[in-house]
Amino acid sequence: MSHDKRTFEFYVLAAFFALFVLFLYGPLSAILILSFQGENGGLTFPLNGVSLHWFANLFERQAVGDFGGSFKRSFILGLMVMIVTVVVSLLAGLAFRQKFRGATALFYLAVASLVVPSIIISLGIGVVFQQIGFRPAWYTSGFGAHLTWTLPFGVLIMFAVFNRFSPAYEEAARDLGATSWQTFAHVVLPMIAPSLIGVGLFGFTLSYDEFARTLMTSGTFNTLPLEIYGMTTNVTTPVLYALGTVTTVFSFLVILLTLGAIAYVGGRRPRA
């Protein structure tokens, strides 16, 4: 059995990919290792023993930082953004299947926030809320700021999905006597469900770790990214690394659960 000889370009690309993986996961692995630092250990290598002390310390009252409260706020905010992103993106995708006056201008208006610096949007929303007499808060102004980041991505994804969606499935359902709602619920929705789950994951993860658009809009209480940033100048123990490890594991669990849901829904949806 013969094998084709590897070209020089293959090794160049392989080396580039290896450097990319090292650059991406190298710092993450260092934080992961240092989070198991011993009780008397510091913020740098070498390890002074191995223990779970700093993970247990996360659940104790801290002199600086509110881990539990900030995580809860980020999680709730992520769920709120996820739900609205999925619903609005789905409705926008359905609406743009039909041609209407002003569709092009509306499309560019919807995605314009992607090219505006995030900190400018955060500052603008915070100023507007103060001018109209409302105090900025993570569940109002912060919620709106996050939607300016997640909705354009969700809308673009659903546009791509419906651009490939054949209307023949809907026509066949109507020929068999299905109503418009039955066609949507039993034909369209099951076929696009994996894409909707992907939009939901996108919306949740973008909101969960968003920093710039939350900076001027979160109000009195911080979300988790803001809390972590504030702790970098005050916390001098590896508890910060433990927090990073926990949030990273949580993020991977969310991704795995989402992939499982996509695989499950994809296996049950109707086949062409």
Side-chain angles (χ1 to χ4, degrees), residues 251-270:
S251 300
F252 277 112
L253 286 177
V254 171
I255 294 174
L256 290 175
L257 289 174
T258 304
L259 292 176
I262 291 175
Y264 176 77
V265 173
R268 291 175 59 87
R269 67 178 178 174

Side-chain angles (χ1 to χ4, degrees), residues 89-264:
S89 299
L90 173 60
L91 296 178
L94 291 172
F96 273 82
R97 296 182 73 189
Q98 305 293 329
K99 293 183 178 180
F100 57 90
R101 187 183 300 274
T104 302
L106 184 59
F107 167 76
Y108 285 113
L109 183 64
V111 300
S113 64
L114 293 179
V115 297
V116 179
S118 296
I119 192 65
I120 299 299
I121 291 180
S122 176
L123 178 62
I125 293 176
V127 170
V128 168
F129 264 70
Q130 291 177 351
Q131 289 297 316
I132 62 178
F134 291 100
R135 295 183 61 182
W138 62 271
Y139 51 84
T140 54
S141 54
F143 175 58
H146 283 207
L147 287 177
T148 65
W149 183 231
T150 62
L151 277 178
F153 286 108
V155 168
L156 289 174
I157 292 173
M158 293 314 300
F159 281 2
V161 169
F162 282 116
N163 187 52
R164 302 193 312 268
F165 191 87
S166 174
Y169 300 116
E170 298 163 280
E171 295 172 0
R174 286 192 290 267
D175 289 342
L176 294 173
T179 63
S180 297
W181 171 250
Q182 289 173 327
T183 301
F184 172 76
H186 300 289
V187 177
V188 178
L189 190 58
M191 297 185 72
I192 66 172
S195 299
L196 290 177
I197 295 174
V199 169
L201 174 63
F202 217 170
F204 180 84
T205 53
L206 286 176
S207 172
Y208 179 75
D209 64 2
E210 178 59 26
F211 175 81
R213 297 183 190 232
T214 317
L215 186 60
M216 303 292 182
T217 59
S218 64
T220 306
F221 299 100
N222 287 339
T223 58
L224 188 59
L226 295 180
E227 197 72 22
I228 293 175
Y229 177 76
M231 290 168 55
T232 57
T233 58
N234 298 304
V235 177
T236 57
T237 64
V239 68
L240 184 61
Y241 298 146
L243 178 61
T245 299
V246 170
T247 55
T248 301
V249 170
F250 172 77
S251 300
F252 277 112
L253 286 177
V254 171
I255 294 174
L256 290 175
L257 289 174
T258 304
L259 292 176
I262 291 175
Y264 176 77

Side-chain angles (χ1 to χ4, degrees), residues 10-33:
F10 170 83
Y11 291 105
V12 171
L13 291 175
F16 178 79
F17 178 74
L19 289 174
F20 168 75
V21 172
L22 181 63
F23 182 81
L24 181 64
Y25 292 104
L28 185 63
S29 61
I31 291 177
L32 176 65
I33 295 171

